[in-house]
Amino acid sequence: MDSGFIQLSEAKIPVLDWGFLRSDATYDVVHVWKRHFFRLDKHIDRFFESTEKLRMPCELSRNELKKILAGCVDRSGLDNAYVEMIQTRGMSPNFERDPRKSKPRFIAFAVPFGWILKPEEFEKGLDVLVSNRRRISPDSIDSRIKNYHWLDLVSGMYEAYDYGHDTVILTDEEGNISEGPGFNIFCVDEGTLYSPNKGVLEGITRQTVLDLAKELNVPFQLNSISLEKLKNSNEVFATSTAGGIMPITRINGQSIEQGKPGEITRKLYKTYWEKHSDSSWSESIDDLLN
Ligand SMILES: Cc1ncc(COP(=O)(O)O)c(C=O)c1O
């Protein structure tokens, strides 16, 4: 932060930063497994695109950014980490409202790897509520920009917890399936994979599943998914950097098939973790530091 490395507990931003005041910021999160970044270039591509679209292009080069992220991981001493890069709009120099006058602020940090569903809970899977709450419209905010407009997701999480579910999926303006707090949704119907095609963050794990599907010869379609279709699917799973591929075994109190992760979910899960030791999908922290 501010061009140097500091302890996370000492990292503070001014209350007048628009990232804090207005959620005027973008970010990305990449994970590190056994001291290797997974698909780092894809996360950096998305981060650069997000900063460009918000008209605050990141001033760091790809290599400078990689070295900073590797430096955060190295100093944290963590083998498995969750690494976040953020760019906020920064502050107005004189309390004016014009965002063009501010100087963007870059921050990055590494914390321990976080799971939406822990590996030991894989067989049990996630019990989700599909809420009637609408995810923020892509007509308002380009959903491909990774953003902090999370009040809809947080309100949905409270709704899910109040009824005893693990987490929530929000719907889109037509009532179809959108996404959850930090994850995309897939379902499998008669051997074909489906995932919503619009109004969602184009997750890197979602893209990874599509890449793996090609390798494994599993057909897929990006299309809108109704709640009925989701509930009647053979398999449902969530995807996120925070845990990879995570089975969803109950929806609104109803079991998906026998309430167990399905065969395609298992195959994708296994291949996903195998790819973490494949050098064309992962990058060593030590190589980046040298
Ligand atoms: C709203 C939202 N959807 C989906 C995802 C999953 O994206 P990824 O696979 O890149 O982690 C995230 C990640 O944080 C997210 O915030």
Side-chain angles (χ1 to χ4, degrees):
M1 186 173 184
D2 299 332
S3 310
F5 289 99
I6 53 175
Q7 286 294 323
L8 188 53
S9 56
E10 284 158 22
K12 296 182 174 63
I13 60 161
V15 287
L16 293 182
D17 189 299
W18 279 331
F20 173 68
L21 286 181
R22 298 184 183 156
S23 299
D24 188 348
T26 185
Y27 73 114
D28 218 290
V29 181
V30 54
H31 74 215
V32 169
W33 193 248
K34 298 185 180 160
R35 267 183 92 76
H36 285 71
F37 284 110
F38 189 59
R39 311 209 89 181
L40 178 57
D41 279 307
K42 295 222 174 290
H43 287 275
I44 292 181
D45 288 344
R46 184 172 64 183
F47 183 63
F48 283 166
E49 276 163 30
S50 296
T51 58
E52 292 276 348
K53 282 182 181 161
L54 292 175
R55 302 179 66 168
M56 50 171 170
C58 181
E59 286 179 355
L60 298 163
S61 72
R62 182 174 296 263
N63 276 346
E64 284 167 339
L65 178 51
K66 284 188 178 182
K67 280 203 183 297
I68 291 171
L69 301 178
C72 288
V73 178
D74 195 45
R75 283 165 177 80
S76 75
L78 295 164
D79 287 340
N80 305 323
Y82 195 71
V83 184
E84 188 151 337
M85 58 203 100
I86 306 171
Q87 190 161 292
T88 74
R89 184 77 57 193
M91 266 166 67
S92 164
N94 55 4
F95 306 102
E96 261 184 47
R97 284 177 172 258
D98 185 343
R100 294 170 302 180
K101 304 274 163 60
S102 62
K103 182 169 170 13
R105 181 189 305 276
F106 175 83
I107 307 159
F109 61 84
V111 291
F113 191 100
W115 304 88
I116 292 173
L117 179 77
K118 296 196 180 87
E120 58 271 27
E121 293 167 334
F122 180 88
E123 288 302 322
K124 187 167 136 288
L126 287 164
D127 170 331
V128 303
L129 173 77
V130 176
S131 169
N132 287 325
R133 192 178 295 276
R134 304 302 184 222
R135 181 67 173 122
I136 192 167
S137 165
D139 295 332
S140 303
I141 302 288
D142 181 347
S143 53
R144 290 165 304 175
I145 301 173
K146 195 162 158 70
N147 64 66
Y148 286 125
H149 294 277
W150 265 53
L151 293 184
D152 49 359
L153 294 166
V154 172
S155 304
M157 282 162 92
Y158 273 100
E159 195 184 328
Y161 298 153
D162 285 349
Y163 290 98
H165 301 280
D166 296 327
T167 188
V168 73
I169 297 173
L170 302 193
T171 38
D172 68 14
E173 281 153 341
E174 282 102 48
N176 292 319
I177 298 305
S178 155
E179 59 187 345
F183 53 86
N184 291 112
I185 298 297
F186 279 85
C187 63
V188 181
D189 193 16
E190 310 215 344
T192 298
L193 267 176
Y194 295 87
S195 192
N197 57 337
K198 57 175 170 42
V200 296
L201 177 73
E202 293 183 350
I204 305 300
T205 323
R206 171 182 180 268
Q207 183 56 50
T208 300
V209 165
L210 300 179
D211 294 341
L212 295 177
K214 273 190 211 142
E215 274 193 34
L216 298 168
N217 288 321
V218 178
F220 62 82
Q221 271 184 39
L222 299 178
N223 226 328
S224 54
I225 301 175
S226 67
L227 173 58
E228 271 323 289
K229 179 172 172 72
L230 194 74
K231 285 202 292 193
N232 293 317
S233 295
N234 306 113
E235 304 179 31
V236 181
F237 61 87
T239 62
S240 173
T241 298
I245 295 166
M246 298 163 286
I248 292 177
T249 48
R250 281 177 82 77
I251 294 173
N252 296 0
Q254 182 183 313
S255 291
I256 300 301
E257 293 279 268
Q258 270 76 47
K260 290 260 161 237
E263 282 319 304
I264 293 183
T265 310
R266 286 178 198 278
K267 208 195 280 183
L268 287 165
Y269 176 89
K270 184 168 168 283
T271 324
Y272 174 82
W273 285 105
E274 280 167 5
K275 290 287 184 190
H276 282 67
S277 46
D278 177 335
S279 61
S280 51
W281 293 57
S282 64
E283 213 167 333
S284 150
I285 302 285
D286 298 303
D287 291 351
L288 285 169
L289 291 172
N290 291 324

